[in-house]
Amino acid sequence: MSIYTNFISSGINAEYGDNTLIIFTSDNGPWEYKCDLAGSHLPFEGLYQKSEYGGGSTGKMTTWEGGHRVPFIASWPGHISPGSVSDDLSSALDILPTLAQIVGFTLPPDRVFDGVPLSFVQPANSPRVLFIPDADVEEISVFRWDQYKVYFATFSIPDCAGKKGKDRLHNPDLPLVFDLSTDPAESTPVTNLTKEFYDLLINSKNEIQESIDNTFRSTVDWRKDEKFVACCNPDAKYCSCSKFGLRGVSKKFYM
């Protein structure tokens, strides 16, 4: 991977000098259902799901580390030291406020932005609380509190062999907690936490939930206008197809 990013950055820097920030990242971890085509999410294995709850995939489409932990490489000569490594907790949500700060743009104050500028632009605050979206539920089921991963619910999806483990709701007053600084495979929950620390985690979760609940969210109703229904018709203006092949979902299949 570094070979390709170095090749790209060398070409851009030769053309534009040092005034270019290059970011390489991904949108999710490997999709285990695709077997050998998916890649590997080691060492983020989600071993507790595999050992205690019957296995299944702990990769893409789950909230285990292997599902959303992704590579992140940034190159910006004169601003980021070559070969430097950061352990700061960060997210793709941080890219927007980072770019805004670099160009001197003030983000609108009438909405909530979940990201913060990355540490090569602004020193990171610690501890940081970062929620992990789960598209299937409206309530926060897992979040990061600094190095701790806090689960109120755990689940898996089918793996390469089609095997799916059990889904579990955990005690809302005693959530499942892993220390990722010493256990990135999420194999053994931390059990020596104090009641005060659990209270801190629960309060943090409630604050995140309140922020989400009070944030305006639009809802798309595809039935309002047929032209916005996902389709694949090369002759249709609104369909996501190209002469090089299909990039969308056929209307017949979608409906």
Side-chain angles (χ1 to χ4, degrees), residues 98-119:
T98 298
L99 297 180
Q101 182 155 324
I102 289 174
V103 301
F105 177 78
T106 301
L107 294 174
D110 61 344
R111 67 205 67 185
V112 176
F113 293 90
D114 295 304
V116 297
L118 290 163
S119 59

Side-chain angles (χ1 to χ4, degrees), residues 167-200:
D167 301 343
R168 283 286 185 270
L169 293 176
H170 302 286
N171 186 333
D173 296 321
L174 296 171
L176 204 62
V177 180
F178 297 92
D179 185 347
L180 298 180
S181 66
T182 58
D183 183 20
E186 296 175 290
S187 64
T188 308
V190 180
T191 58
N192 60 348
L193 301 175
T194 64
K195 181 182 182 304
E196 289 74 19
F197 191 68
Y198 277 117
D199 290 342
L200 174 63

Side-chain angles (χ1 to χ4, degrees), residues 8 10 20 41 51 54 64 94 122 127 205 211 213 235-236 240-241:
I8 294 171
S10 297
T20 304
H41 55 61
S51 64
W64 295 98
D94 299 334
Q122 175 178 295
K205 183 246 188 185
S211 174
D213 292 341
D235 298 322
S240 55
C241 290

Side-chain angles (χ1 to χ4, degrees), residues 196-249:
E196 289 74 19
F197 191 68
Y198 277 117
D199 290 342
L200 174 63
L201 296 179
I202 293 168
N203 289 336
S204 296
K205 183 246 188 185
N206 291 338
E207 290 176 3
I208 299 170
Q209 190 67 54
E210 182 179 5
S211 174
I212 293 173
D213 292 341
N214 292 329
T215 299
F216 172 78
R217 286 171 287 175
S218 60
T219 302
V220 177
D221 187 345
W222 301 111
R223 298 169 298 177
K224 295 295 185 181
D225 193 330
E226 190 177 274
K227 69 185 180 184
F228 295 117
V229 174
C231 59
C232 193
N233 179 351
D235 298 322
K237 180 179 179 180
Y238 300 99
C239 287
S240 55
C241 290
S242 75
K243 62 181 179 180
F244 302 107
L246 305 181
R247 293 190 291 109
V249 180

Side-chain angles (χ1 to χ4, degrees), residues 28-40:
N28 49 249
W31 194 1
E32 287 186 78
Y33 187 74
K34 298 294 184 179
C35 303
D36 293 340
L37 299 176
S40 170

Side-chain angles (χ1 to χ4, degrees), residues 18 76-81:
D18 296 341
W76 192 13
H79 300 270
I80 301 176
S81 301

Side-chain angles (χ1 to χ4, degrees), residues 140-187:
I140 290 295
S141 63
V142 55
F143 70 94
R144 281 284 301 272
W145 193 95
D146 210 18
Q147 80 266 30
Y148 295 101
K149 184 84 169 287
V150 185
Y151 288 93
F152 293 87
T154 50
F155 66 94
S156 70
I157 65 168
D159 60 15
C160 176
K163 181 181 180 180
K164 183 186 182 303
K166 298 176 181 178
D167 301 343
R168 283 286 185 270
L169 293 176
H170 302 286
N171 186 333
D173 296 321
L174 296 171
L176 204 62
V177 180
F178 297 92
D179 185 347
L180 298 180
S181 66
T182 58
D183 183 20
E186 296 175 290
S187 64

